[in-house]
Amino acid sequence: QVQLVESGGGLVQAGGSLRLSCAASGITFSFYTMGWYRQAPGKQRELVAGITSGGSTNFADSVKGRFTISRDNAKNTVYLQMNSLKPEDTAVYYCKGTHALLSIEYWGQGTQVTVSS
């Protein structure tokens, strides 16, 4: 059974930091591109950051310079370090794994991040 389990969300003041983790099980983690997405109330889900199996990264313009994404293939875990948080970063953050070659993707259940002003 495939599971992606996010953790690390919470309430933080503007300017603060959080680190999200997504632990994967049931997949060959190193074969997957991993991504963090977020969805704010009334808005569409959007890509925040992604990291390929080879370690290449990409970020939404709104988070460049503030967020970093990393992965630990030995721990089957992807991280999102979020610094200088803003109220507009408030959303449910989701982890997604996409197989590098096959049309297979999995989502986590999401973790709430709330940034107070």
Side-chain angles (χ1 to χ4, degrees):
Q1 181 182 2
V2 177
Q3 282 191 311
L4 299 180
V5 180
E6 300 100 334
S7 61
L11 174 64
V12 65
Q13 288 188 332
S17 299
L18 284 174
R19 188 176 84 151
L20 305 183
S21 300
C22 172
S25 60
I27 61 173
T28 306
F29 184 75
S30 60
F31 288 177
Y32 282 73
T33 292
M34 302 302 297
W36 286 98
Y37 291 72
R38 67 187 180 188
Q39 187 166 20
K43 295 188 176 182
Q44 289 189 329
R45 193 173 296 189
E46 63 175 357
L47 174 67
V48 176
I51 183 167
T52 68
S53 55
S56 297
T57 60
N58 64 290
F59 298 90
D61 287 344
S62 59
V63 307
K64 282 181 181 177
R66 300 188 297 124
F67 291 11
T68 58
I69 187 171
S70 61
R71 65 190 296 159
D72 185 337
N73 287 343
K75 295 183 178 180
N76 288 358
T77 301
V78 61
Y79 305 96
L80 184 69
Q81 177 67 44
M82 305 186 295
N83 299 327
S84 302
L85 283 161
K86 304 175 181 180
E88 50 264 43
D89 295 318
T90 295
V92 177
Y93 283 70
Y94 297 90
C95 172
K96 186 178 89 166
T98 305
H99 195 281
L101 298 177
L102 305 175
S103 298
I104 300 173
E105 62 182 38
Y106 300 101
W107 288 91
Q109 82 290 348
T111 185
Q112 176 70 47
V113 171
T114 302
V115 184
S116 63
S117 56

